[in-house]
Amino acid sequence: MADQQEERIPVMQQVLDNPFLLLFLGITIPTVLYVLWGVMEIANIPVAR
Amino acid sequence: MTTTYRICPRSGLQFDTNAEKLMRWHAVAGVLSLLVGGIMALGVILTRWPAVKLLEADVFYMVLTAHGIDMLIFWIIFFEMAVLLFASSTLLRCRMATPKLGWVSFWLMAIGAIMTNVAIFQGESSVMFTSYVPMQAKWHFYLGLILFAVGALLTCFIFLGTLVVAKAEKTYEGSIPLVTFGALTACIIAIFTIASGAVILIPTLLWSLGYIREIDSLMYRTVWWALGHSSQQINVSAHVAIWYAIAAIVFGAKPMSEKVSRSAYFLYILFLQLASAHHLLSDPGLGSEWKVVNTSYFMYFAVLASMIHGMTVPGAIEQAQRLKGYNKGLFEWLRKAPWGNPAFSSMFLSLIGFGFLGGISGVMMGAEQLNMLIHNTIYVPGHFHATVVIGTTLAFMGLTYFLVPVLFKRELLFPGYAKMFPYLFGLSMYMVALVMMGAGTLGVARRHWDMAFAGSPMAYEWPGAAYLMMGLTGIFGTIACVSGGLWILQIVFSLLFGKKLEEGEMRSTPIPLTLPAPTPGGAAHPPATPGTMVLALIFLTSFILYYFVNWKYLSSLWSMA
Ligand code: HEM
Ligand SMILES: [Cu+2]
């Protein structure tokens, strides 16, 4: 039992146990890939005159 | 605000009394929205039924707007807020963070919902659920939505705050439970959803008040769908968490692998929201790279995650049943499942319908080329009624049967109806989804009060099958509305007149954490799950067949060769 407490927690588990890191990832990824990239493409459409 | 804790004698769950009251109010507000949305559904369905054509065009669009918003936004999100409170304070056995703020949040949501409904029923805000500009609604339509969203955002923060409380006060050890993790996924997606909503709805409000001259329609659609699509992913995360919860409640099932299930949720957090782009596949102006990256390369990771959940939930049930000795053949575990228990049957119909009808059609229409087959047809509502009605709504309704005695402390009235309800409502919705998709494949438009375009220069002669399927939509839709209406009556009557049940022990401190007793003789090897494997293979086969049939269909649509 004693050595089980010493056991290192795997990195992936540390990520999944950190709600604020998950929050950060879950907001940044769609903001960059979907919103910012999409809005930039639309802003670059030349305006008709 | 100090609180007390109630130990429910029927479930052993511990409720923070503040949180419990909020959960009840959110659930009731949700069911009231469902009532309004359901009455509107009847109006929609009876108008789209070609032989009935109940409503005139202008009324139809008002009713359709109310249907979409009351169902998809108010019913579902009110209920989800109750789920967030439950998954945090109850499952972590701790106090709820900032209960006063919880009430601020509830009232913002309630006032917002009422305000938007008033705007809709005044008749000058029939912009439908998507409220695309340049169609303009009255200012209070947008303001109501914004207030509702701010309220929901506060509850998301309370959820995160409660996680912090539980960790600081050490009410759990190690990782949060899987169901709470699912709720966390829902909460994260909700925060992105609401932020996107604010970015687009606040300017739109100012535009409706005349402070902004113009809003670009493509810009609007792009940012709006970060709200519109992501909010559906809150639902997916929440109803998958409920599947796991019901499997645990009904069967005592343990997740097959915590690691796998959590990683699947992690994929949701990373990728699910990108699929918003599938709503813009037919829009000019956005490049193929953007479309393909968002809806194919990354979105398939999220689809993979759903397939993982779709396998691990029945797999966990199969394991639990086999451990109880239901070992004969491939499917004894499933045959001997409690089909008369509405929490289980709702959950199982939700899982199968979500996967087979919603999932397969969603992947098909999410491919850029195939999307052209069904864009803006009634196929689209066919698909999403399989996801939000069969997947989410049915799971929530099934869970409510469990909540009546546990959260509301009332005995359920008319238990005979409860046994039938999931089949009546669920299977009629299966049919509605199927026939809408059928009609859509033939090209019948969505959001049109008259499929024949009578009297217009665009009048079109449909094949008989299209009329047949729209007629069937009417018939099965009516069955769904009536059975759903009876469910609402049953729940409301039970809450008002059901026998009051024992409260259970009240405490001023939470029960200290007790560690589960170690299993003697080491962990038993869990049984294999061949039945679930067969189900998964059937799923994959149907998936592949359907997908390629549609490519074939696409190639024959225009005779160019
Ligand atoms: C009670 C059974 C229900 C029936 C019979 C029903 C029927 C329909 C039909 C036929 C349409 C398509 C109308 C058209 O495009 O012309 C529709 C639209 C819609 N439904 Fe339902 N529905 C039901 C329940 C629900 C529920 C529970 C939800 C959400 C949780 C929902 C969400 C929506 C949404 C968002 C739309 C799109 C509105 C728009 O196009 O703006 N429905 N419904
Ligand atoms: Cu979507």
Side-chain angles (χ1 to χ4, degrees):
Chain A
M1 270 299 164
D3 53 11
Q4 224 170 18
Q5 304 245 294
E6 298 293 300
E7 208 178 12
R8 253 192 60 244
I9 300 174
V11 180
M12 193 57 196
Q13 190 175 339
Q14 286 184 15
V15 172
L16 295 184
D17 280 346
N18 185 341
F20 295 98
L21 176 60
L22 296 178
L23 176 64
F24 173 77
L25 291 173
I27 305 262
T28 322
I29 294 179
T31 303
V32 172
L33 283 178
Y34 176 85
V35 180
L36 292 181
W37 183 3
V39 166
M40 267 163 50
E41 287 212 347
I42 298 169
N44 278 324
I45 301 174
V47 181
R49 30 186 124 237
Chain B
M1 218 170 178
T2 51
T3 189
T4 48
Y5 299 89
R6 180 176 74 85
I7 314 295
C8 165
R10 289 164 290 282
S11 60
L13 293 167
Q14 170 184 296
F15 289 95
D16 166 340
T17 346
N18 287 327
E20 186 180 17
K21 195 161 172 204
L22 271 164
M23 285 177 220
R24 287 203 297 263
W25 281 66
H26 278 289
V28 169
V31 172
L32 290 178
S33 316
L34 184 67
L35 174 65
V36 180
I39 297 171
M40 296 303 118
L42 204 55
V44 171
I45 209 82
L46 291 180
T47 307
R48 298 266 8 200
W49 185 346
V52 180
K53 260 177 71 182
L54 181 70
L55 303 172
E56 282 306 309
D58 50 349
V59 185
F60 172 73
Y61 287 113
M62 180 179 86
V63 163
L64 185 58
T65 306
H67 172 67
I69 291 201
D70 277 305
M71 291 297 206
L72 201 59
I73 301 193
F74 300 151
W75 143 245
I76 286 195
I77 296 185
F78 266 127
F79 200 93
E80 271 158 3
M81 295 301 119
V83 171
L84 286 190
L85 293 169
F86 178 85
S88 54
S89 73
T90 302
L91 293 184
L92 295 175
R93 306 184 142 270
C94 68
R95 73 183 164 83
M96 169 195 172
T98 62
K100 283 211 182 95
L101 198 61
W103 285 105
V104 175
S105 145
F106 174 80
W107 284 112
L108 279 173
M109 291 174 73
I111 293 170
I114 293 170
M115 192 182 276
T116 299
N117 266 299
V118 168
I120 295 173
F121 288 114
Q122 282 173 339
E124 282 176 77
S125 300
S126 302
V127 292
M128 288 173 284
F129 160 64
T130 41
S131 54
Y132 287 148
V133 304
M135 275 193 295
Q136 196 175 57
K138 285 278 173 274
W139 61 273
H140 45 310
F141 174 89
Y142 304 109
L143 184 61
L145 289 177
I146 293 169
L147 293 180
F148 185 85
V150 172
L153 188 63
L154 289 179
T155 298
C156 290
F157 290 145
I158 293 173
F159 174 84
L160 292 172
T162 307
L163 293 190
V164 173
V165 167
K167 189 162 187 127
E169 297 178 2
K170 296 202 172 50
T171 64
Y172 69 95
E173 218 161 68
S175 310
I176 54 178
L178 183 60
V179 174
T180 311
F181 192 75
L184 171 64
T185 306
C187 168
I188 291 173
I189 299 180
I191 292 175
F192 173 75
T193 301
I194 295 169
S196 314
V199 170
I200 198 62
L201 286 177
I202 292 174
T204 311
L205 169 66
L206 296 176
W207 168 71
S208 76
L209 287 168
Y211 294 116
I212 291 184
R213 230 193 28 236
E214 186 192 278
I215 293 189
D216 178 75
S217 68
L218 184 56
M219 202 70 102
Y220 179 92
R221 286 160 66 80
T222 305
V223 183
W224 191 89
W225 277 112
L227 153 93
H229 174 80
S230 305
S231 67
Q232 303 327 304
Q233 313 315 327
I234 315 173
N235 308 344
V236 174
S237 312
H239 76 230
V240 170
I242 289 176
W243 294 347
Y244 281 111
I246 290 181
I249 293 167
V250 176
F251 298 93
K254 292 203 187 61
M256 296 176 84
S257 155
E258 289 267 350
K259 205 186 338 183
V260 169
S261 297
R262 277 172 211 259
S263 307
Y265 272 124
F266 186 52
L267 291 177
Y268 276 178
I269 295 177
L270 300 183
F271 300 119
L272 204 43
Q273 308 160 66
L274 302 178
S276 305
H278 63 207
H279 296 275
L280 301 157
L281 286 174
S282 295
D283 280 57
L286 289 156
S288 273
E289 294 86 351
W290 179 84
K291 290 177 182 171
V292 171
V293 165
N294 280 292
T295 63
S296 298
Y297 292 127
F298 287 142
M299 204 266 290
Y300 292 141
F301 287 116
V303 174
L304 173 72
S306 287
M307 294 203 281
I308 293 176
H309 292 305
M311 265 188 78
T312 55
V313 174
I317 294 176
E318 178 170 1
Q319 277 183 347
Q321 290 281 80
R322 284 186 187 273
L323 283 173
K324 283 180 204 142
Y326 297 121
N327 259 320
K328 249 187 260 123
L330 280 177
F331 287 117
E332 195 196 14
W333 62 276
L334 193 56
R335 275 202 321 276
K336 296 278 169 66
W339 293 101
N341 176 341
F344 167 73
S345 52
S346 300
M347 173 274 213
F348 207 78
L349 287 174
S350 155
L351 187 144
I352 298 290
F354 180 75
F356 278 84
L357 300 177
I360 294 180
S361 59
V363 173
M364 187 288 274
M365 65 204 270
E368 191 180 358
Q369 301 86 330
L370 295 182
N371 185 267
M372 286 187 279
L373 284 175
I374 51 77
H375 184 68
N376 264 347
T377 68
I378 200 148
Y379 188 99
V380 178
H383 153 76
F384 69 69
H385 282 69
T387 56
V388 296
V389 187
I390 299 171
T392 310
T393 300
L394 187 57
F396 287 2
M397 288 167 133
L399 183 73
T400 305
Y401 280 124
F402 167 77
L403 294 180
V404 169
V406 168
L407 180 63
F408 290 92
K409 298 167 278 189
R410 297 282 185 158
E411 195 172 270
L412 186 74
L413 295 176
F414 320 114
Y417 181 66
K419 280 198 183 132
M420 281 159 32
F421 165 76
Y423 302 99
L424 261 179
F425 180 77
L427 296 180
S428 57
M429 268 335 281
Y430 273 49
M431 288 309 296
V432 170
L434 275 172
V435 288
M436 281 211 253
M437 288 195 265
T441 307
L442 295 174
V444 176
R446 73 181 286 198
R447 296 178 158 175
H448 204 286
W449 73 294
D450 173 24
M451 67 186 266
F453 300 100
S456 77
M458 288 192 297
Y460 180 75
E461 203 57 47
W462 294 101
Y467 282 103
L468 174 68
M469 281 192 275
M470 290 312 288
L472 289 173
T473 306
I475 294 171
F476 287 107
T478 308
I479 301 177
C481 287
V482 172
S483 55
L486 290 176
W487 176 88
I488 296 182
L489 282 183
Q490 176 181 29
I491 298 300
V492 171
F493 270 63
S494 301
L495 298 194
L496 294 177
F497 310 114
K499 199 176 106 206
K500 281 209 175 94
L501 298 173
E502 195 196 332
E503 288 254 332
E505 184 195 350
M506 298 294 288
R507 308 170 49 100
S508 56
T509 51
I511 294 192
L513 178 80
T514 45
L515 291 171
T519 29
H525 200 63
T529 55
T532 303
M533 203 54 213
V534 171
L535 286 180
L537 287 177
I538 297 176
F539 177 81
L540 281 178
T541 316
S542 342
F543 189 168
I544 293 168
L545 280 177
Y546 186 71
Y547 192 72
F548 285 103
V549 162
N550 274 284
W551 280 98
K552 178 80 185 65
Y553 184 48
L554 181 67
S555 73
S556 64
L557 201 57
W558 299 305
S559 31
M560 286 189 293

